[in-house]
Amino acid sequence: MKGLGIIGAAFALAGCAVLEPAITLSRSEIGQRAFIDRREVDLKKVFKGMEGLSITGPDVGFQASAQRLELAWTARPKESPLGIPLSLRVSLSGTPVLNAQKNGIDLADVRIEEIRLPSIPFVNLDTKQMTQSGESLGTLPLLQFQPEELNRDGVVYQATGISLGTFGLRVDLAPK
Protein backbone atom coordinates (compact mmCIF):
# COMPACT_ATOMS: atom_id res chain seq x y z
CA MET A 1 0.00 0.00 0.00
CA LYS A 2 2.90 2.33 0.81
CA GLY A 3 4.41 1.62 -2.66
CA LEU A 4 1.09 2.54 -4.27
CA GLY A 5 1.15 5.92 -2.50
CA ILE A 6 4.68 6.61 -3.76
CA ILE A 7 3.67 5.72 -7.31
CA GLY A 8 0.62 8.01 -7.04
CA ALA A 9 2.77 10.88 -5.77
CA ALA A 10 5.22 10.35 -8.65
CA PHE A 11 2.38 10.55 -11.19
CA ALA A 12 1.03 13.69 -9.52
CA LEU A 13 4.46 15.37 -9.73
CA ALA A 14 4.85 14.29 -13.35
CA GLY A 15 1.47 15.83 -14.13
CA CYS A 16 2.59 19.13 -12.66
CA ALA A 17 5.75 19.24 -14.77
CA VAL A 18 5.62 21.71 -17.65
CA LEU A 19 5.83 19.95 -20.99
CA GLU A 20 8.09 21.49 -23.58
CA PRO A 21 6.00 22.88 -26.44
CA ALA A 22 6.62 21.31 -29.83
CA ILE A 23 5.20 20.97 -33.31
CA THR A 24 4.78 17.36 -34.42
CA LEU A 25 4.25 16.68 -38.11
CA SER A 26 3.17 13.28 -39.42
CA ARG A 27 3.95 11.90 -42.88
CA SER A 28 0.55 12.97 -44.20
CA GLU A 29 0.87 16.50 -42.75
CA ILE A 30 4.28 16.94 -44.36
CA GLY A 31 2.92 15.61 -47.66
CA GLN A 32 0.02 18.08 -47.59
CA ARG A 33 2.19 21.08 -46.75
CA ALA A 34 5.39 20.27 -48.68
CA PHE A 35 6.46 23.00 -51.10
CA ILE A 36 3.01 24.66 -51.00
CA ASP A 37 3.30 27.39 -48.40
CA ARG A 38 6.71 28.72 -49.45
CA ARG A 39 7.07 31.36 -52.15
CA GLU A 40 10.52 30.25 -53.32
CA VAL A 41 9.34 26.98 -54.91
CA ASP A 42 6.01 26.74 -56.71
CA LEU A 43 5.61 23.19 -58.02
CA LYS A 44 2.35 24.13 -59.70
CA LYS A 45 4.37 26.31 -62.09
CA VAL A 46 6.91 23.53 -62.62
CA PHE A 47 4.21 20.98 -63.52
CA LYS A 48 1.99 23.43 -65.46
CA GLY A 49 3.30 22.35 -68.88
CA MET A 50 2.56 18.70 -68.12
CA GLU A 51 -1.21 18.86 -68.57
CA GLY A 52 -1.39 15.35 -70.05
CA LEU A 53 -0.01 13.86 -66.84
CA SER A 54 -1.66 12.90 -63.60
CA ILE A 55 0.83 13.60 -60.81
CA THR A 56 0.39 12.19 -57.32
CA GLY A 57 2.46 12.78 -54.24
CA PRO A 58 4.50 13.54 -52.48
CA ASP A 59 4.56 10.28 -50.61
CA VAL A 60 6.64 10.95 -47.50
CA GLY A 61 9.00 8.49 -45.88
CA PHE A 62 11.28 8.81 -42.90
CA GLN A 63 14.85 7.54 -42.96
CA ALA A 64 15.12 7.77 -39.18
CA SER A 65 18.60 6.29 -38.83
CA ALA A 66 20.00 8.73 -41.43
CA GLN A 67 17.77 11.60 -40.16
CA ARG A 68 16.49 12.26 -43.71
CA LEU A 69 13.06 12.81 -45.22
CA GLU A 70 12.21 11.14 -48.50
CA LEU A 71 9.57 12.57 -50.84
CA ALA A 72 8.34 10.71 -53.94
CA TRP A 73 6.05 11.67 -56.81
CA THR A 74 4.45 9.46 -59.44
CA ALA A 75 3.48 10.77 -62.88
CA ARG A 76 1.12 8.86 -65.17
CA PRO A 77 -0.24 9.84 -68.58
CA LYS A 78 -3.97 10.52 -68.36
CA GLU A 79 -4.40 8.38 -71.46
CA SER A 80 -2.04 5.39 -71.62
CA PRO A 81 -0.75 4.47 -75.07
CA LEU A 82 -1.85 0.99 -76.16
CA GLY A 83 -3.51 0.52 -72.76
CA ILE A 84 -0.14 0.03 -71.04
CA PRO A 85 -0.23 1.56 -67.52
CA LEU A 86 2.98 3.59 -67.72
CA SER A 87 4.21 5.64 -64.78
CA LEU A 88 7.37 7.41 -63.71
CA ARG A 89 8.37 7.59 -60.04
CA VAL A 90 10.86 10.17 -58.80
CA SER A 91 12.06 10.35 -55.21
CA LEU A 92 14.42 12.71 -53.47
CA SER A 93 15.66 12.97 -49.92
CA GLY A 94 17.15 15.61 -47.70
CA THR A 95 18.01 16.39 -44.11
CA PRO A 96 15.32 18.50 -42.40
CA VAL A 97 16.80 21.68 -40.90
CA LEU A 98 15.35 24.92 -39.56
CA ASN A 99 15.45 27.80 -42.03
CA ALA A 100 17.47 30.91 -41.18
CA GLN A 101 14.43 32.74 -39.78
CA LYS A 102 13.48 29.70 -37.63
CA ASN A 103 9.92 29.85 -38.96
CA GLY A 104 10.05 26.91 -41.33
CA ILE A 105 11.83 23.76 -42.41
CA ASP A 106 14.25 23.38 -45.30
CA LEU A 107 15.70 20.21 -46.77
CA ALA A 108 19.49 20.35 -46.81
CA ASP A 109 21.77 18.13 -48.90
CA VAL A 110 18.90 17.20 -51.25
CA ARG A 111 19.68 14.21 -53.46
CA ILE A 112 17.72 12.37 -56.11
CA GLU A 113 17.29 8.88 -54.67
CA GLU A 114 15.57 7.14 -57.53
CA ILE A 115 13.96 7.58 -60.92
CA ARG A 116 12.18 4.50 -62.18
CA LEU A 117 9.40 3.19 -64.34
CA PRO A 118 7.50 0.82 -62.00
CA SER A 119 5.45 -0.71 -64.80
CA ILE A 120 8.65 -1.76 -66.60
CA PRO A 121 10.71 -3.28 -63.76
CA PHE A 122 13.92 -3.84 -65.72
CA VAL A 123 14.25 -0.14 -66.66
CA ASN A 124 15.74 2.14 -64.02
CA LEU A 125 17.41 5.43 -64.78
CA ASP A 126 20.87 6.08 -63.35
CA THR A 127 20.52 9.07 -61.01
CA LYS A 128 24.31 9.44 -60.73
CA GLN A 129 24.57 10.41 -64.40
CA MET A 130 21.85 13.01 -63.93
CA THR A 131 23.51 14.73 -60.96
CA GLN A 132 27.28 14.52 -61.31
CA SER A 133 27.94 11.28 -59.39
CA GLY A 134 25.19 11.74 -56.81
CA GLU A 135 26.17 15.25 -55.75
CA SER A 136 23.85 17.31 -53.64
CA LEU A 137 21.26 19.55 -55.27
CA GLY A 138 21.64 21.99 -52.36
CA THR A 139 18.91 23.18 -50.01
CA LEU A 140 15.20 23.44 -50.82
CA PRO A 141 12.57 25.18 -48.70
CA LEU A 142 10.07 22.52 -47.54
CA LEU A 143 7.40 24.25 -45.45
CA GLN A 144 6.68 27.24 -43.28
CA PHE A 145 5.07 27.03 -39.84
CA GLN A 146 1.54 28.35 -39.47
CA PRO A 147 1.08 31.42 -37.19
CA GLU A 148 -0.99 29.39 -34.71
CA GLU A 149 1.85 26.89 -34.39
CA LEU A 150 4.23 29.61 -33.19
CA ASN A 151 1.78 31.69 -31.14
CA ARG A 152 0.06 29.77 -28.36
CA ASP A 153 -2.02 31.36 -25.61
CA GLY A 154 -0.46 34.75 -26.30
CA VAL A 155 3.12 33.46 -26.08
CA VAL A 156 5.25 33.74 -29.23
CA TYR A 157 7.61 30.81 -29.82
CA GLN A 158 10.49 30.12 -32.14
CA ALA A 159 11.76 26.78 -33.32
CA THR A 160 14.93 25.60 -31.62
CA GLY A 161 15.56 22.10 -32.94
CA ILE A 162 14.34 19.26 -35.13
CA SER A 163 14.32 15.51 -34.56
CA LEU A 164 13.03 12.81 -36.86
CA GLY A 165 11.46 9.71 -35.40
CA THR A 166 9.65 6.69 -36.73
CA PHE A 167 6.21 8.31 -36.62
CA GLY A 168 6.89 11.99 -37.14
CA LEU A 169 9.03 15.06 -37.31
CA ARG A 170 9.26 16.95 -34.01
CA VAL A 171 10.15 20.63 -33.88
CA ASP A 172 11.09 21.88 -30.42
CA LEU A 173 9.90 25.36 -29.46
CA ALA A 174 11.07 27.96 -26.96
CA PRO A 175 9.59 31.36 -26.07
CA LYS A 176 11.05 34.20 -28.16
Side-chain angles (χ1 to χ4, degrees):
M1 199 59 146
K2 185 177 183 181
L4 212 53
I6 293 173
I7 292 173
F11 277 118
L13 285 174
C16 294
V18 176
L19 297 176
E20 292 288 322
I23 300 169
T24 303
L25 300 167
S26 67
R27 285 179 173 86
S28 61
E29 289 170 321
I30 293 169
Q32 290 170 357
R33 293 172 61 181
F35 304 110
I36 292 173
D37 50 5
R38 295 295 298 268
R39 291 187 182 99
E40 290 89 349
V41 176
D42 187 356
L43 289 183
K44 291 177 185 174
K45 289 181 183 175
V46 172
F47 293 132
K48 185 177 182 181
M50 302 177 189
E51 293 171 4
L53 293 178
S54 170
I55 299 172
T56 58
D59 298 323
V60 178
F62 297 149
Q63 299 172 358
S65 60
Q67 289 293 295
R68 292 177 71 82
L69 277 177
E70 185 171 7
L71 300 136
W73 292 265
T74 301
R76 293 179 182 84
K78 291 182 180 175
E79 295 180 23
S80 296
L82 303 171
I84 300 170
L86 293 175
S87 64
L88 175 70
R89 184 162 175 90
V90 178
S91 67
L92 58 89
S93 74
T95 304
V97 296
L98 293 174
N99 65 9
Q101 299 80 21
K102 297 191 184 278
N103 66 355
I105 300 173
D106 292 345
L107 286 181
D109 187 31
V110 174
R111 298 179 186 277
I112 296 174
E113 293 288 335
E114 151 182 87
I115 300 175
R116 65 184 172 100
L117 300 165
S119 54
I120 308 173
F122 53 86
V123 176
N124 285 315
L125 304 173
D126 187 4
T127 58
K128 290 184 179 165
Q129 289 191 3
M130 296 178 174
T131 61
Q132 302 293 338
S133 299
E135 80 180 28
S136 173
L137 300 174
T139 300
L140 293 176
L142 179 65
L143 61 87
Q144 190 167 347
F145 302 129
Q146 301 297 322
E148 60 272 10
E149 292 174 316
L150 296 175
N151 188 346
R152 299 177 181 185
D153 298 324
V155 178
V156 177
Y157 291 92
Q158 73 175 8
T160 58
I162 293 180
S163 58
L164 185 62
T166 307
F167 301 106
L169 179 71
R170 177 185 164 94
V171 180
D172 297 321
L173 300 174
K176 246 184 175 181

